[in-house]
């Protein structure tokens, strides 16, 4: 086997650290290929030539990086990245702890390779993977998770069930089956209620873990919200699917594949708001061309609404592909000025911002690293939204502002994927703060209310319907009533080929090959 035994030892080290997966049968097959005795030199040389690309391919397959098919599908988008951003991404793959461990392992291997049959130990190591997995299966049973009251994933109280691929797949299917009939049915507001606007601020790259990592979890804006959903799951970690989900939030959570299939008309949030008497509008602080984000939004509004981007807004930074990103306050304040001239008594706005997206460069500012860049940009964004709250209040108009993230930025990263990579929709990426602010005459500010139960986008749609059906600007406890008994949704997140599902206090991940494994949420940072 020669040097290939070290290849397997290195992969086993990474596997038991939780940095990669390990497909036993494929690795056994590759081990047999590299260890099989060959007499003729040309056969041994040919085997080595063949083994190098096979070994690299198998290492990639064992990793948690996006499947090659997905990489090829997004190659056109990646080609738009600036050279500086590509270099920065490459540097994030370097982990000094892992590097030192591999160097130490190599030194031990060099010391022992001439004294012991390392191929034998490599095969034993490969076989240890299913053996350890079998022992874990014998010890682990699913805990009772019915205490949350959310449908789909929870088992009966006190029940235990082995965590097998089949049982976890059944849980996931049960979750989507329970979500399918859920609906929020909007009704027009009472004729005598004070009119107000609904402003939805959809934020790219904002999660609790990001805020905590840069020390912004107690920013003044977080404290200004009248209502905070603290256990909210975005269900997605990429912008396109996240936009589709929020624009279809009047229905229960669907699988990723279902996002790209026709859905019932009553699922479209903006269309529902329009039917309830709100004139629909949408705007962004970017051009939306990357990944055809603008196409995803247009296709899922469910109602005619032109894109309203003011070309006179101030450019605050440039994206990883060099496109301009406009100042949030400038975009929103310009739109608000136009809104005040509209004859409509009720307006609904969908606003999308990418200020916090990884790789953005603030004009005239050179950060030391991605942490400093995000910290600067998140402060800018939160301050801008706070200023916009003040502007709306000064106008004398009434508005319900909902700040809902698309997903997090993965600023911290973890053992399974580097900072900025969001292929696996981890809780650090999908657990995000949703804040609601009521502004205008008639609303008596109350101490902030927090919803701790597990929620998703259906709760946002239901909250808006509750506020529209009531009179939140007529005094009293309208917000408290609207926030009571919001629909709960267990934390299930999904990308094109990867699912993460909360089961009890743990997270289980379904990999692209259909197998399930416990997700290690620990970070080296």
């Amino acid at each position: 086997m020669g040097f290939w035994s070290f290849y397997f030892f290195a992969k086993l080290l990474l596997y038991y650290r939780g940095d990669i997966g390990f497909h036993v049968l494929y690795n056994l097959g590759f081990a047999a290929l590299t260890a099989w005795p060959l007499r003729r030199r040309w056969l041994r040389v040919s085997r080595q030539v063949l083994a190098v690309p096979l070994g690299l391919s198998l290492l990639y397959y064992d990793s948690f990086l996006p499947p090659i098919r997905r990489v090829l599908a997004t190659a056109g988008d990646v080609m738009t990245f600036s050279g500086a951003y590509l270099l920065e991404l490459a540097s994030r793959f370097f982990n000094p702890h892992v590097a030192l461990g591999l160097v130490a392992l190599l030194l031990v291997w060099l010391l022992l390779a001439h004294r012991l049959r390392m191929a034998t130990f490599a095969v034993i190591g490969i076989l240890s993977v299913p053996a350890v997995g079998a022992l874990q299966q014998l010890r682990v049973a699913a805990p009772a998770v019915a205490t949350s009251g959310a449908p789909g994933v929870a088992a009966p109280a006190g029940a235990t069930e082995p965590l097998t691929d089949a049982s976890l797949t059944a849980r996931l299917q049960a979750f989507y089956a329970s979500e399918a009939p859920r609906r929020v049915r909007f009704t027009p507001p009472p004729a005598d209620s004070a009119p107000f606007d609904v402003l939805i601020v959809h934020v790219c790259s904002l999660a609790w873990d990001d805020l905590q990592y840069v020390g912004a979890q107690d920013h003044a804006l977080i404290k200004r919200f009248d209502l905070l959903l603290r256990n909210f799951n975005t269900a997605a970690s990429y912008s396109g699917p996240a936009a589709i989900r929020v624009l279809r939030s009047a229905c229960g959570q669907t699988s990723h594949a279902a996002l790209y299939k026709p859905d019932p008309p009553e699922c479209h949030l903006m269309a529902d708001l329009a039917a309830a008497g709100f004139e629909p509008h949408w705007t962004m602080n970017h051009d939306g061309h990357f990944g055809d984000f603008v196409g995803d939004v247009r296709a899922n509004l469910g109602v005619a609404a032109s894109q309203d981007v003011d070309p006179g807004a101030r450019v605050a930074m440039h994206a990883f592909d060099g496109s301009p990103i406009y100042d949030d306050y400038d975009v929103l304040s310009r739109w608000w000025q136009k809104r005040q001239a509209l004859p409509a008594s009720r307006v609904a706005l969908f606003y999308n911002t990418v200020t916090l997206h990884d790789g953005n460069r603030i004009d005239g500012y050179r950060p030391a690293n991605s942490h400093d860049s995000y910290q600067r940009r998140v402060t800018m964004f939160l301050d801008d939204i706070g200023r916009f709250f003040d502007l709306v209040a000064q106008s004398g108009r009434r508005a319900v502002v909902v700040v809902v993230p698309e997903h997090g930025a993965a600023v911290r990263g973890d053992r399974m994927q580097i900072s900025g990579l969001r292929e696996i929709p981890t809780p650090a990426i999908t657990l995000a703060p949703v804040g609601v602010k009521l502004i205008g005459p008639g609303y008596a500010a109350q101490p902030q209310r927090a919803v701790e139960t597990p929620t998703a986008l259906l709760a946002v749609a239901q909250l808006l319907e509750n506020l529209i059906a009531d009179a939140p600007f007529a005094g009293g406890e309208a917000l408290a009533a609207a926030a009571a008994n919001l629909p709960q949704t267990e934390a299930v997140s999904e990308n094109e080929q990867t699912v993460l599902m909360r089961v009890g206090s743990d997270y289980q991940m379904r990999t692209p090959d259909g197998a399930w494994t416990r997700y290690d949420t620990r970070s080296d940072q």
Side-chain angles (χ1 to χ4, degrees):
M1 188 179 287
F3 187 77
W4 288 108
S5 62
F6 172 75
Y7 166 87
F8 290 109
F9 292 139
K11 287 177 67 173
L12 287 166
L13 172 65
L14 295 174
Y15 170 73
Y16 282 114
R17 269 183 46 88
D19 295 319
I20 64 172
F22 198 87
H23 297 82
V24 176
L25 292 180
Y26 290 110
N27 279 278
L28 275 176
F30 187 60
L33 172 68
T34 57
W36 196 266
L38 297 174
R39 293 184 178 181
R40 297 184 181 275
R41 184 175 182 277
W42 71 268
L43 286 175
R44 295 195 299 271
V45 172
S46 299
R47 177 172 62 184
Q48 293 291 11
V49 171
L50 177 64
V52 170
L54 284 178
L56 292 174
S57 299
L58 182 57
L59 176 60
Y60 190 94
Y61 183 58
D62 282 333
S63 77
F64 299 114
L65 293 170
I68 290 293
R69 181 173 57 185
R70 179 169 175 80
V71 172
L72 294 176
T74 58
D77 290 335
V78 174
M79 293 300 292
T80 66
F81 292 0
S82 67
Y85 184 51
L86 287 172
L87 184 61
E88 180 183 342
L89 288 176
S91 69
R92 296 179 190 177
F93 282 95
F94 179 75
N95 184 317
H97 303 291
V98 174
L100 287 174
L102 291 175
V103 169
L105 181 64
L106 177 61
L107 292 176
V108 173
W109 182 87
L110 290 172
L111 181 65
L112 299 177
H114 297 296
R115 297 176 174 85
L116 300 172
R117 293 181 61 87
M118 304 305 288
T120 301
F121 291 101
V123 172
I124 293 173
I126 294 171
L127 294 176
S128 74
V129 174
V132 172
L135 289 174
Q136 290 175 340
Q137 289 285 0
L138 290 175
R139 293 199 310 265
V140 178
V145 292
T147 54
S148 69
V153 176
T160 60
E161 175 187 350
L163 291 179
T164 64
D165 286 359
S167 68
L168 289 168
T169 299
R171 281 175 178 264
L172 180 64
Q173 292 172 345
F175 169 78
Y176 284 128
S178 68
E179 288 290 304
R182 304 179 87 183
R183 296 285 188 277
V184 174
R185 306 190 184 281
F186 283 77
T187 56
D192 58 348
S193 65
F196 61 88
D197 296 336
V198 172
L199 312 180
I200 300 170
V201 179
H202 201 210
V203 189
C204 176
S205 303
L206 181 69
W208 282 119
D209 189 69
D210 301 321
L211 291 173
Q212 291 163 2
Y213 188 52
V214 300
Q217 70 273 20
D218 294 322
H219 188 278
L221 182 75
I222 304 296
K223 298 178 179 179
R224 286 186 67 178
F225 288 120
D226 298 305
L227 178 69
L228 195 61
L229 304 186
R230 300 192 62 88
N231 195 4
F232 176 87
N233 182 54
T234 67
S237 62
Y238 285 120
S239 296
I244 298 173
R245 288 189 183 280
V246 75
L247 292 171
R248 296 184 181 182
S249 59
C251 290
Q253 185 173 320
T254 67
S255 67
H256 178 89
L259 297 177
Y260 300 93
K261 298 177 182 178
D263 64 317
E266 63 268 22
C267 294
H268 294 268
L269 179 62
M270 292 299 288
D272 290 335
L273 290 171
F278 290 79
E279 183 177 284
H281 292 258
W282 70 292
T283 188
M284 306 187 296
N285 75 334
H286 57 108
D287 60 24
H289 291 153
F290 185 81
D292 194 28
F293 180 85
V294 68
D296 287 335
V297 173
R298 185 176 290 114
N300 288 278
L301 286 169
V303 65
S306 61
Q307 182 183 359
D308 183 16
V309 177
D310 192 330
R314 183 178 71 85
V315 175
M317 61 190 76
H318 286 83
F320 50 82
D321 61 353
S323 61
I325 298 174
Y326 302 100
D327 180 84
D328 285 297
Y329 179 76
D330 212 26
V331 174
L332 286 169
S333 62
R334 285 169 177 267
W335 180 85
W336 186 249
Q337 184 178 11
K338 295 178 183 178
R339 187 274 167 270
Q340 294 183 81
L342 294 174
S345 60
R346 294 178 173 87
V347 163
L349 171 71
F350 175 75
Y351 172 66
N352 181 266
T353 170
V354 297
T355 293
L356 304 181
H357 195 288
D358 189 46
N360 290 352
R361 306 287 177 178
I362 303 173
D363 293 348
Y365 171 68
R366 292 200 172 195
N369 49 45
S370 57
H371 174 284
D372 291 345
S373 173
Y374 186 84
Q375 186 177 49
R376 176 76 171 260
R377 287 181 288 117
V378 80
T379 300
M380 289 172 55
F381 168 75
L382 296 175
D383 287 347
D384 280 349
I385 298 302
R387 291 172 61 200
F388 180 64
F389 285 179
D390 295 337
L391 179 68
V392 174
Q394 293 165 8
S395 71
R397 299 194 64 88
R398 301 177 181 87
V400 173
V401 186
V402 181
V403 178
V404 54
E406 297 177 2
H407 52 72
V411 179
R412 191 194 306 266
D414 61 26
R415 292 190 172 192
M416 290 190 177
Q417 55 185 1
I418 63 168
S419 171
L421 187 63
R422 293 175 275 111
E423 183 64 23
I424 304 173
T426 70
I429 297 172
T430 63
L431 294 182
V434 171
V436 181
K437 181 66 178 176
L438 275 64
I439 306 173
Y443 177 70
Q446 303 289 329
Q448 185 182 86
R449 298 179 181 276
V451 175
E452 303 288 352
T453 52
T455 55
L457 286 164
L458 189 73
V460 174
Q462 186 63 64
L463 177 68
L464 289 175
E465 151 57 18
N466 293 346
L467 289 171
I468 292 170
D470 204 341
F473 294 94
E477 295 290 327
L479 181 59
N485 300 316
L486 290 176
Q488 297 181 36
T489 305
E490 276 292 345
V492 175
S493 305
E494 184 176 2
N495 278 329
E496 185 175 1
Q497 299 187 57
T498 306
V499 176
L500 224 70
M501 178 171 66
R502 184 166 55 196
V503 180
S505 59
D506 286 336
Y507 282 85
Q508 299 292 331
M509 177 177 67
R510 190 182 70 184
T511 54
D513 60 2
W516 289 86
T517 183
R518 180 180 176 274
Y519 190 85
D520 187 352
T521 57
R522 292 175 299 170
S523 171
D524 287 335
Q525 302 186 52

